[in-house]
Amino acid sequence: MKNIISKSILALLVLLGSFGCQDKLEELYQDPDGFSKAQADKAGVSVIAGYFTSQCTRGFLLRGEYGASYHQMRSGSRIMGTGVQIYYTTNAYGFSYSLVDVESDWGSNGFNRTVFNKINSDWIKQVLWAQKEFNKTPEEERTTMDVLFMRLLHVLKAVGYQRAIDLYDEVPYFETGSAGALEGDKANYIGQEEIYPKIIEEMKEIDDYLAGLELTDSEQAIFTQQDVIFQGDIMQWRKYVNSLRVRWALTVSEMEPGMTQTVLSETSGKPLFDMYDDVAGLADIAIVEPYRLQVELGITRAFRERADECRAPKLFLHDVMHCVPEEKSVEVNGEMLYYFDGDNSEEGLMNGTVDPRVAYLFSKDVMGRYVGAETGWDDNTDPNSYFNKAMRGYYINDPIMTDINVTSITFGAQGNEQTINLNDEASADLSKREEFLLNAFRTRCGQYLDNNWVIGTDRNMISEYNVRPQYNFDIRYPTLHSVETELNLAEAAVRGFGTVNGTAREHYKRAIEMSCEYWYHINVDNKYSKQTTPSFPSNMDDSRIDRDRPTMMYDASTYAEFEAQRFDGLSDQEKVEAIFYQLQLHYNFFNFETPYTAARRLIKYLGDNPGSPFELFKWKERMTYNPSIQASDPENWAKISQHNDPDLPIWFTGRTEKWKNVLE
């Protein structure tokens, strides 16, 4: 399979040789001596078009990237609880109930600095080189395509800055139209309060420009060739630009509600992302050589290496998606104990009372249950805690509890059986078995002895994320999706900022329907296996790869109406919280930053954090800078160092006080 990026720059490759790998593409586009306008003219390709295509393919801008995804999964999950690391929720691994600082744990540098480093390098260089070429071209010689590609580069530049300021606030900023350091300018550190009005207004101007643009057949052919994101579809770019404005309007709503209302009024009737496959993103397979994806550069490597936080959150399965365990009780040693003996998914998926995404996004445990894990602390002092109920279901009805001659228990799928043997005391005394077995099963699951730190085995004792959506090399990394747009419009309507093309209920329901359809297709359309290149990892279980493909597409409309009726009865604050949960569930591991921004923003309105942080970890209000700035740019370091504090809320939150976790 030849990457689609190669098709987009075919004329350049013929001129300059075959550049299949990412580093060669960077060399091609970022070396002005190696890629001049004269050479581009000779090949019949605009140099600005080349920089535009290169910008679309930047790592972690509109596509995934192994390193960044790895650190966001690892540290991001600890902040937001998107996936559960059971060893930080129980005492089974030896950790104590004491505060842990995510800021200084292993890997925090990659977590903190990735976006800042990229906005100062990977995400800006192409824009500045293109701007330099554009600026030195006499106005009368600028082609329609030069102007179009430069305008779209400004869109992508704004996206990069938005992501940076949402995490750090103040970043080095170059004004639109400036070629920056290439022309001797020094970046000015400014933050959200100054940048958001600029980019919001700029997107309005770009949409107006695109709305009036007409391309000739030859111009359209060039645009289609170079545009690896939307394949030359002007309407998709307009949808993207306006959906960005809606996102940004909600982000500033705590500080600039008037701006929020204005933007929503201006986008009413404008094209927005509104189809389930409306997504701004690029698949790994489009830019990275297939044989390198799994082992080197793809986001799937991050999923493989961070299997320990792929346990399914109880928050999603139980609380948001209404997949409720079937609870039963039994008296043991004079005490009433409870356990989970199944769930309501089979009936609920068919009658529309359980979210279809349960079957698309998550995998059952070895007992065939959808049972997740909490992010709160469980030290086994409560015999009927959620985790204990899940573990007790494995042994409570086994003969080992009533037959003195049975001294071991075996469970799990054929070929993946797991066995636990009683100790001498429990072997000799039936009354000792509950305590022993509960601790043994807690330890087995809590220490990852069930799946040996591998996602996709057939041994998991708690539900996990489904491997099929994660190991889909064709997935376009959803940096912005139509579901988010619908949820933003729903929140805006609930909070009185304005209604755009529908009521809060209509947007909320539509978001759920589209998310169900999106994740269904991501799952079932996954054409990869252990035999393809790239492939599923060899240590994943074949049964999981096959079984985790849903047997049918469940009725999303019926479920969405069921959930919308529940939504109708909520208070405004409860509705906004429900909207947030839908956002976090939809993006899950693929877009940590957006739910993280939403959680920080909503703390003021809700009076509490809608995220589900682990009790053991400090809450983090912002990312911290690369300390090398102190030596390389002491003038600006003096300005920003006072803000280099993970406990200091960012401007858009409307807060000056940090939200504190239970142990802080």
Side-chain angles (χ1 to χ4, degrees):
M1 176 180 177
K2 192 62 178 174
N3 301 338
I4 62 171
I5 183 62
S6 301
K7 299 176 183 178
S8 301
I9 59 172
L10 181 59
L12 299 179
L13 301 187
V14 171
L15 174 65
L16 298 171
S18 178
F19 293 86
C21 299
Q22 186 176 354
D23 54 349
K24 294 298 184 182
L25 286 172
E26 292 175 352
E27 177 183 328
L28 171 67
Y29 283 130
Q30 296 177 12
D31 178 5
D33 297 323
F35 181 38
S36 67
K37 190 172 189 305
Q39 289 173 310
D41 289 343
K42 184 177 180 180
V45 179
S46 165
V47 65
I48 297 173
Y51 284 124
F52 164 74
T53 303
S54 179
Q55 180 69 6
C56 290
T57 67
R58 293 300 89 198
F60 211 53
L61 180 65
L62 295 179
R63 67 178 180 89
E65 185 176 80
Y66 157 64
S69 295
Y70 176 99
H71 290 292
Q72 286 205 349
M73 283 184 69
R74 182 182 187 278
S75 298
S77 282
R78 295 174 183 181
I79 295 174
M80 293 291 291
T82 304
V84 181
Q85 303 165 5
I86 294 181
Y87 49 89
Y88 280 122
T89 66
T90 75
N91 61 351
Y93 210 80
F95 292 119
S96 62
Y97 189 53
S98 57
L99 190 64
V100 181
D101 186 356
V102 73
E103 184 65 24
S104 57
D105 71 349
W106 180 87
S108 60
N109 289 347
F111 186 50
N112 284 331
R113 300 173 191 173
T114 296
V115 171
F116 182 83
N117 290 341
K118 285 183 177 295
I119 193 58
N120 291 293
S121 180
D122 294 2
W123 296 352
I124 196 68
K125 285 192 286 189
Q126 293 71 229
V127 180
L128 299 185
W129 279 117
Q131 192 73 62
K132 183 174 183 178
E133 294 287 348
F134 188 80
N135 291 350
K136 73 182 184 182
T137 302
E139 187 171 352
E140 64 275 9
E141 295 180 16
R142 294 172 184 168
T143 68
T144 298
M145 300 311 295
D146 286 340
V147 176
L148 171 60
F149 287 126
M150 200 66 243
R151 291 276 191 160
L152 297 184
L153 278 163
H154 292 163
V155 174
L156 301 180
K157 173 186 175 184
V159 170
Y161 276 123
Q162 172 249 303
R163 289 179 61 182
I165 59 179
D166 282 359
L167 294 178
Y168 306 90
D169 200 353
E170 293 183 336
V171 297
Y173 179 76
F174 289 112
E175 291 286 351
T176 294
S178 166
L182 301 178
E183 295 179 343
D185 295 339
K186 185 174 182 179
N188 183 30
Y189 273 78
I190 59 176
Q192 292 184 321
E193 189 173 5
E194 298 95 338
I195 291 177
Y196 261 120
K198 294 175 185 288
I199 60 178
I200 286 173
E201 183 61 27
E202 187 174 13
M203 293 306 103
K204 177 185 177 183
E205 295 171 359
I206 291 174
D207 180 59
D208 290 342
Y209 161 76
L210 293 174
L213 181 65
E214 293 184 9
L215 300 179
T216 65
D217 290 345
S218 60
E219 289 169 339
Q220 183 62 61
I222 293 172
F223 187 33
T224 301
Q225 172 181 277
Q226 299 298 130
D227 177 14
V228 296
I229 302 298
F230 298 125
Q231 292 72 53
D233 190 331
I234 292 290
M235 182 55 70
Q236 285 299 107
W237 279 99
R238 292 193 63 202
K239 284 184 173 185
Y240 182 39
V241 165
N242 287 309
S243 296
L244 285 170
R245 295 190 81 218
V246 170
R247 169 192 275 182
W248 300 343
L250 266 294
T251 302
V252 302
S253 61
E254 292 298 335
M255 297 300 292
E256 296 287 351
M259 185 182 300
T260 305
Q261 293 169 341
T262 297
V263 171
L264 291 168
S265 176
E266 291 172 348
T267 53
S268 182
K270 299 283 188 180
L272 295 162
F273 278 171
D274 59 355
M275 304 296 290
Y276 87 90
D277 55 354
D278 281 345
V279 56
L282 189 65
D284 274 347
I285 197 72
I287 182 68
V288 181
E289 290 296 334
Y291 75 93
R292 301 179 70 186
L293 274 182
Q294 182 187 320
V295 297
E296 274 186 89
L297 300 173
I299 54 175
T300 57
R301 179 181 171 187
F303 299 145
R304 184 183 77 243
E305 294 181 356
R306 296 310 309 167
D308 44 332
E309 56 252 33
C310 288
R311 308 280 192 170
K314 178 256 186 184
L315 171 70
F316 288 167
L317 289 178
H318 191 158
D319 302 339
V320 177
M321 307 172 84
H322 310 301
C323 186
V324 180
E326 181 183 354
E327 185 175 285
K328 294 183 179 180
S329 62
V330 62
E331 185 174 334
V332 178
N333 300 330
E335 183 180 14
M336 190 62 67
L337 301 176
Y338 294 84
Y339 64 97
F340 294 146
D341 193 41
D343 60 54
N344 66 334
S345 62
E346 184 174 355
E347 179 181 1
L349 287 169
M350 296 304 298
N351 66 22
T353 57
V354 169
D355 193 322
R357 289 170 293 183
V358 165
Y360 308 158
L361 278 170
F362 297 99
S363 174
K364 298 177 180 179
D365 63 24
V366 297
M367 287 189 68
R369 312 169 302 179
Y370 288 111
V371 175
E374 296 180 294
T375 53
W377 180 252
D378 181 345
D379 60 0
N380 201 18
T381 55
D382 177 3
N384 291 315
S385 68
Y386 200 87
F387 187 57
N388 280 348
K389 292 175 187 176
M391 295 298 100
R392 189 172 288 124
Y394 281 96
Y395 62 83
I396 198 66
N397 292 316
D398 190 89
I400 198 171
M401 290 296 294
T402 56
D403 189 340
I404 194 67
N405 296 311
V406 177
T407 59
S408 67
I409 179 172
T410 298
F411 61 99
Q414 185 175 0
N416 282 307
E417 295 91 348
Q418 304 172 67
T419 298
I420 291 178
N421 297 306
L422 299 177
N423 63 10
D424 291 342
E425 183 181 22
S427 294
D429 188 345
L430 289 176
S431 68
K432 303 294 185 181
R433 294 191 174 185
E434 155 64 22
E435 180 182 5
F436 175 87
L437 288 169
L438 180 60
N439 281 317
F441 276 86
R442 283 175 59 94
T443 298
R444 188 164 195 84
C445 186
Q447 293 188 4
Y448 288 71
L449 300 174
D450 56 335
N451 63 10
N452 292 319
W453 309 91
V454 175
I455 185 174
T457 72
D458 212 358
R459 298 164 57 89
N460 55 298
M461 294 170 63
I462 286 286
S463 285
E464 295 178 341
Y465 276 89
N466 190 317
V467 296
R468 295 187 57 83
Q470 290 189 351
Y471 274 86
N472 190 337
F473 302 95
D474 284 317
I475 189 171
R476 296 169 60 198
Y477 196 95
T479 59
L480 179 61
H481 190 269
S482 53
V483 169
E484 179 193 339
T485 302
E486 292 290 341
L487 293 172
N488 284 334
L489 295 177
E491 183 190 338
V494 170
R495 297 184 62 183
F497 295 128
T499 56
V500 178
N501 309 333
T503 64
R505 184 192 203 274
E506 291 168 338
H507 289 302
Y508 184 73
K509 179 181 177 181
R510 178 65 177 147
I512 293 172
E513 290 176 337
M514 288 196 299
S515 183
C516 290
E517 188 171 7
Y518 175 78
W519 285 113
Y520 172 79
H521 283 289
I522 292 297
N523 186 317
V524 301
D525 294 345
N526 188 341
K527 61 181 180 293
Y528 296 98
S529 70
K530 289 185 179 180
Q531 288 71 47
T532 57
T533 302
S535 67
F536 277 83
S538 60
N539 56 4
M540 285 186 178
D541 200 272
D542 286 324
S543 65
R544 278 284 300 273
I545 296 170
D546 296 333
R547 187 183 68 232
D548 282 356
R549 182 193 298 270
T551 57
M552 63 179 292
M553 187 176 186
Y554 298 100
D555 189 344
S557 180
T558 298
Y559 172 74
E561 175 59 29
F562 168 80
E563 174 60 18
Q565 290 179 17
R566 188 189 72 88
F567 184 78
D568 290 338
L570 302 178
S571 67
D572 285 353
Q573 284 188 321
E574 290 170 334
K575 286 179 179 177
V576 169
E577 189 173 49
I579 290 166
F580 169 82
Y581 289 142
Q582 293 295 335
L583 177 72
Q584 187 182 20
L585 170 63
H586 178 71
Y587 280 139
N588 53 82
F589 285 136
F590 286 92
N591 189 342
F592 159 81
E593 294 168 41
T594 298
Y596 178 50
T597 289
R600 289 176 292 157
R601 172 177 63 83
L602 289 172
I603 288 172
K604 181 179 180 181
Y605 175 75
L606 296 175
D608 200 0
N609 190 339
S612 184
F614 286 66
E615 288 187 5
L616 263 59
F617 284 95
K618 289 183 65 177
W619 175 248
K620 184 179 173 71
E621 292 283 357
R622 66 171 71 203
M623 302 298 168
T624 47
Y625 295 109
N626 191 329
S628 65
I629 302 171
Q630 184 172 9
S632 62
D633 191 355
E635 178 183 350
N636 277 315
W637 179 256
K639 178 181 178 182
I640 65 172
S641 58
Q642 59 187 310
H643 305 144
N644 194 38
D645 181 355
D647 292 344
L648 181 64
I650 272 179
W651 173 83
F652 74 85
T653 65
R655 295 179 287 112
T656 57
E657 295 294 325
K658 176 190 180 182
W659 180 84
K660 293 184 178 180
N661 211 337
V662 293
L663 288 177
E664 292 187 75

